[in-house]
Amino acid sequence: MINVTINGDPHSLDQELCLVDLLEKFDIEHDKVAIEHNLEIVPKTTFANVMVGDGDNLEIVHFIGGG
Amino acid sequence: MTDSFSVAGKEFNSRLIVGTGKYKDFEETKLAVEASGAEIVTVAVRRVNIASPGEPMLVDYLDPKKYTFLPNTAGCFTGDDAVRTLRLAREAGGWDLVKLEVLGDQKTLYPNMPETVEAAKTLIKEGFQVMVYCADDPIQAKVLEDIGCCAIMPLGAPIGSGLGIQNPVGIRIIVEQANVPVLVDAGVGTASEAAQAMELGCDAVLMNTAIAEAKDPIRMARAMNHAVQAGRDAYLSGRMPKKLYADPSSPLAGLI
């Protein structure tokens, strides 16, 4: 079991997993979001290579209406 | 007769840029954007709601292939937050064209100009094309142009206030000195004020609340579309001089 922070909230995950699997787990379409992993922007092309580990901090964002 | 508007090397036929916030729902957003004729729409960058996946998203209603999405930094009060937001936006959308706004005060939402300048420098160094929200101050506008911003966007009045253009002289001076597009961003409340911005010689107008908070946003979007075109034509036509006294429109010769 690992503990991570996603968008400011604590989450427990069964095991380490890559960002592609993480997005799938939360049912988020990966082409519509951007991810910051421990304050580093993750290029979309590397989602499969970046592993989420214990204590990691993720920001997952998308576009919403705004002025 | 084409009279296109060019920013960061891209040509646009519409001189109205609209925000996508404050609408009742995405359907209304879509219809208002269509009625406005806008080709560029501003969008905000926010956290995905992990708890409710599958919620409708803005991109399901406004196709980023059809509209140029202009990510903003609304809500950012430091240059660092704004830069961080736009780095994420670039990765989410793949576009370099962004709207930078660094706010200085909750109540007025006036820009923090020193932070804005520093953030713009960082973004430009990283290859962003920066359209920048700024004060209606010609000196600061010049500073932003000199560091490489691709459009200068002074406020007409506080964001969301609908007060209209409070400092037309300042806006006009900014227009006259600029070699990049100047847009009035924020403060327009109704169609005549959008026309006024264009009559001052602005290249385009950016607005959100004036449309979204009208009782009939879709009709107001259409009104703004017309107003921007009318104001642009009036500006290009060259208005008649103002005179103190009357000058009859009908000839005096042949009077009975």
Side-chain angles (χ1 to χ4, degrees), chain A residues 32 36 44 59-60 66-67, chain B residues 20 47-48 60 72 84 91:
Chain A
K32 292 179 179 170
E36 194 188 72
K44 279 187 191 194
E59 290 287 345
I60 306 175
Chain B
T20 54
R47 287 169 166 170
V48 170
D60 300 327
N72 71 20
R84 187 180 172 205
E91 196 52 44

Side-chain angles (χ1 to χ4, degrees), chain A residues 19 34-37 40-47 50 58, chain B residues 88 91:
Chain A
L19 289 175
I35 302 179
E36 194 188 72
H37 178 232
E40 298 248 342
I41 307 273
V42 185
K44 279 187 191 194
T45 48
T46 65
F47 278 3
V50 174
L58 292 166
Chain B
L88 275 165
E91 196 52 44

Side-chain angles (χ1 to χ4, degrees), chain B residues 76-225:
Chain B
C76 292
F77 283 80
T78 68
D80 286 346
D81 280 347
V83 169
R84 187 180 172 205
T85 299
L86 291 177
R87 285 178 183 145
L88 275 165
R90 172 154 71 177
E91 196 52 44
W95 315 291
D96 293 328
L97 187 64
V98 294
K99 170 182 164 180
L100 172 66
E101 61 182 286
V102 184
L103 303 172
D105 173 51
Q106 287 281 4
K107 206 165 174 181
T108 61
L109 300 181
Y110 275 152
N112 179 327
M113 292 308 299
E115 290 279 316
T116 301
V117 169
E118 287 312 306
K121 282 183 189 166
T122 304
L123 290 166
I124 290 163
K125 209 182 293 168
E126 294 182 15
F128 286 91
Q129 306 269 10
V130 180
M131 300 176 74
V132 60
Y133 167 71
C134 58
D136 54 5
D137 171 352
I139 307 302
Q140 292 302 311
K142 197 71 202 161
V143 168
L144 291 167
E145 181 180 342
D146 289 344
I147 63 175
C149 291
C150 69
I152 307 299
M153 307 203 293
L155 53 86
I159 294 171
S161 70
L163 285 168
I165 297 169
Q166 297 298 296
N167 182 8
V169 174
I171 301 285
R172 178 61 199 166
I173 294 172
I174 291 171
V175 167
E176 286 200 2
Q177 71 180 13
N179 299 303
V180 295
V182 175
L183 290 80
V184 161
D185 177 1
V188 164
T190 189
S192 56
E193 291 154 7
Q196 186 196 6
M198 297 308 294
E199 287 173 10
L200 285 168
C202 290
D203 295 90
V205 181
L206 197 164
M207 66 177 74
N208 191 153
T209 313
I211 297 175
E213 288 194 355
K215 282 207 182 89
D216 182 344
I218 295 153
R219 184 175 285 250
M220 185 57 94
R222 194 177 67 190
M224 292 300 186
N225 186 356

Side-chain angles (χ1 to χ4, degrees), chain A residues 6-8 11 26-28 31-36 39 41-44 59-67, chain B residues 19-21 42-48 50 53 57-60 71-72 84 87-89 91-92 95 99 208:
Chain A
I6 304 175
N7 289 351
H11 289 267
F26 285 101
D27 198 17
I28 298 166
D31 59 334
K32 292 179 179 170
V33 300
I35 302 179
E36 194 188 72
L39 296 177
I41 307 273
V42 185
K44 279 187 191 194
E59 290 287 345
I60 306 175
V61 302
H62 66 149
F63 293 122
I64 66 154
Chain B
T20 54
T42 62
V43 294
V45 179
R46 291 292 181 271
R47 287 169 166 170
V48 170
I50 303 284
M57 285 180 165
L58 181 69
V59 291
D60 300 327
N72 71 20
R84 187 180 172 205
R87 285 178 183 145
L88 275 165
E91 196 52 44
W95 315 291
K99 170 182 164 180
N208 191 153

Side-chain angles (χ1 to χ4, degrees), chain A residues 5-24:
Chain A
T5 304
I6 304 175
N7 289 351
D9 294 325
H11 289 267
S12 295
L13 304 172
D14 295 337
Q15 60 193 35
E16 289 199 358
L17 76 182
C18 75
L19 289 175
V20 169
D21 292 341
L22 181 91
L23 291 176
E24 199 162 303

